[in-house]
Amino acid sequence: MEEKAFENAPVSFGTNLGLILEYYDMYIEDKQSVSSEMRILFDSILDSKDQVNLGTTGSTNNTTLKGILKWLVDIRTYGHLVAKVYPLYPPTISNAPTFNFEDYGFTEKDLESIDVATISTHLTDKFDNALDAVNYLKDVYSAPLSYEYMHMNNQEEREWFEKNIEVYGDISYSNDEKKELFMELAKTEGFEKYLQKNFVGAKRFSIEGVDSLVPMLNHLLKLMANNALQNLQIGMAHRGRLNVLTHVLRKPYTMMLSEFMSTDPAKFIPEDGSLEKTTGWMGDVKYHLGGKKTLNEYGIEQTITLANNPSHLEIVGPVVLGKARAQQEDVKSENTPVQDTNKSLAVIVHGDAAFPAQGVNPEAMNFSNLAGYTVGGAVHIITNNRIGFTTEEWDARSTLYASDIAKGFDIPILHVNADEPEHVLKAMELAFNYRQTWKKDIVIDLIGYRRMGHNEMDEPMTTNPMLYNEIKQHPTIENLYGEKLVSEGVITAEEKAETIESVEKALRASHDLIDKNDTIISDRIDIPEYTKAPQANTVEVNITEARLKNINDALLNYPESFKVFKRLGNVLNRRYLPFEDEDGRIDWGHAEALAFATLLEDGVPIRITGEDAERGTFAHRNAVLHNPETGEQYTPLKNLDTAKASFDLYNSPLSELAVVAYEYGYNVENNEVLTIWEAQYGDFANMAQPIFDTFMAASNAKWGEQTGLTLLLPNAQEGQGPEHSSARIERFLQLCAENNMTIANLSSSSNYFHLLRRQAENLNTDKMRPLVLASPKSLLRNNTASRPLSEFIGGKFHEILFNNNTPEKVKIVLVASGKMAIELEEKLAKEPDDSFLLIKLEQIYPFPKRNITEVLETLPNLEEIRFVQEEPKNQGAYHFVLPKFLEMKADNQSFTFVGRQESSSPAEGYAGVYKIIQQNILEEAFKK
């Protein structure tokens, strides 16, 4: 007890040391004034002759001990403030500690009389006296690699860092390793210099200033290989991307130079198939493109994937996390996926201006320890240029470091000088070992500069003269490190020059292989044929009554010891009725459960996440049951004996941008999984708009990257106000072209069943596309929307629904979707009128023109087509369908709009007003 108390004292109390010292003063005056635990601690310190030798005891010696202990805590906590982590242009740091011994009330002579173990038990084998140990710690914590870990809550993690920094922190590489490092740096810088010289003014977003990122990533691959870790997922913005593609993913110089020359880079792709590079028919700028490389350089086969990324700087981070999670999971295991975090590592390269400024970063860091999103630790690297475009640090953030927001998530931070490449490699070693040990995120703040302007056309002296005055005088890294090796005798000056020259020669030789006349510039864009083919709606003969009944019984059969909340149990037991009574109906949640179960039997894995997705915002799903007495959970869909694939369901954090990005990445990496994200309300998806715009809608056209991500967005006007009424379907429709997604607003639970199955059927095929479903709210339990069992058996998805019993009597066709269609159907059922025909537009895009035309052609006396919607005229689907109906209708037929007038707000704020307007719409729709 006493020994443990003494050994843990300096680490245990950390930033609480000030309070402990107050207790210590009280202890000196009166031992009984402090707790028994404090007495044991202080007695053990003062009484242990083996651990402490301060000569005579007394208040002076006690004060000295306090000063030494405080110095130790401060150097570990604040040493980074005086560390040599800035290659140039160091900031002024107010109130930084000096770490002078006198300021803490002790001298070198005091340290000479103290045992090393008092300073650190880790250093007893390294030093003979405390003075040498303290000087060593001062050097370690103020070096070009510095540390922030004392803010972390877990004492064991802090002790791990202390040991790994203080015992294993020496920077020591062999001469061969140093030569290899120099060659990597020469290639990295030489590549940029060659592009600058031969493609003047071409944008490339140079890596210069943080060149050591490239050897850092290659060093990581070696560390991964030593740990049998095969997959590296990288996400980064545009700065340095071309260099990473070339020197980490080994994209040949000929391919990269071809892109600058607008010739065909595919002619130079490695014949061994080790490099995969997809592109869409529209293409993208070279510094947004990714790639996939299979590597066999370090003893095992490894795959490096650099994710495609738009100009939304940080948004790719959670995409990469989702991709890593997909690689880590075995989804063919029954019931629950089996995750192995040693299958894939996520590395996210951030910009210093964007890291603290873009909200997607804290959203993504929040995933670190969440069961549904953890990847066993990601490595975050801030390529710290000390500037964002023209904005310097003091205008970009309120904190000292770009990395400071990570502290709020208990994430350790390593600051390292980018011009000290050996320290950079050491930083990566420490980061990787931490990730492997603790399965948590870590941040490396790679502090450098930006040699050029924001792009190579910018002149930064016009806006940032003081910074760039220093940069212009600062030697480049190949010269800095090359000269260091020359001075150490590792290489000669001639070998340094030859190495640098060899890089230019290699680039020139590759350049000479390219025929500049072999241009791919053309005004013609060839859209692939597969994008023109619709998804087929085939009758599902394998969906039988017996199969559905067996599934239903299994889903309602709970373990004998599990007790279901009584009221919920009564609700769920109603799901027996459709199989016992032909008048019984299958509601929305029931239809979904049956669809999921049949897909699991078919071997289709399912992952569904979202805001309150386990229960469903409107308590319609209840996929996870809770024992009200024990809190035990039971998920019927995870316990199907007939399942051939996994089912995964998680409540997401209350985030949209990072969560949707994550699910997108997951599905891109493993598009055999039916991946679903559900919003609490449809309009919450607003916060994820960049994912819809720059990834989901356009990824195939830009990058040849396909996804089958499904979005469930609760949508309908129900008097709940502007922010809980609209899924903003018009925004998705505006993004639609080239059959790039499916947009639906259903009115039938059986159609929902069949649509989910159709979506799954097309996964991992050319016809795979995202599905955006404006899912219901009040229709979840609506009797009209709930359908009989017969519509599920041997059925198929219907893009439109209608009843056309007396076509010759029809004069007015009403077209509507979702809840509006149900209200029209129910009114027509109460007040039958054969002069009206209701077409329920279930699939809005791809627009079912042929289906609707076939119906219209059967109506010889049709006079008018009315499009009816709940949304204001300037929102919803109206403006999307308008030109299509104008083209379809006959010259003697009119097309009119029925709905709310144009409005800047999606809905009324008062339920009473909503009811009046909704009733007016219904009356207007049936007006003759």
Side-chain angles (χ1 to χ4, degrees), residues 157 171 203 220 268-269 301 314 467 474 640 717 758:
E157 290 181 53
I171 310 295
K203 286 184 180 180
L220 174 61
F268 301 100
I269 197 164
E301 183 174 281
E314 300 288 313
L467 171 60
H474 191 72
L640 278 177
Q717 299 271 347
R758 188 186 78 172

Side-chain angles (χ1 to χ4, degrees), residues 739-793:
N739 281 342
N740 64 332
M741 66 178 85
T742 300
I743 312 293
N745 188 6
L746 307 181
S747 63
S748 156
S749 63
S750 60
N751 230 14
Y752 178 45
F753 173 92
H754 294 300
L755 180 58
L756 285 174
R757 290 189 53 80
R758 188 186 78 172
Q759 180 70 359
E761 180 185 352
N762 288 283
L763 292 172
N764 202 27
T765 72
D766 284 344
K767 293 182 181 179
M768 178 177 66
R769 60 177 67 115
L771 168 62
V772 180
L773 179 60
S775 52
K777 295 185 288 185
S778 62
L779 295 192
L780 292 169
R781 298 171 183 82
N782 178 278
N783 196 55
T784 305
S786 301
R787 307 306 300 163
L789 177 62
S790 59
E791 292 187 12
F792 292 77
I793 300 168

Side-chain angles (χ1 to χ4, degrees), residues 413-459:
I413 299 163
L414 312 178
H415 304 282
V416 63
N417 187 324
D419 272 0
E420 298 284 350
E422 293 178 23
H423 287 81
V424 170
L425 299 191
K426 193 66 181 181
M428 179 53 79
E429 291 171 14
L430 184 60
F432 179 75
N433 290 337
Y434 174 79
R435 186 267 182 187
Q436 292 297 96
T437 303
W438 300 99
K439 306 301 181 186
K440 292 182 178 181
D441 287 17
I442 187 168
V443 172
I444 300 175
D445 183 14
L446 182 63
I447 301 176
Y449 57 94
R450 188 189 69 196
R451 186 157 289 276
M452 304 291 180
H454 176 67
N455 62 60
E456 286 64 38
M457 294 291 287
D458 278 346
E459 176 46 77

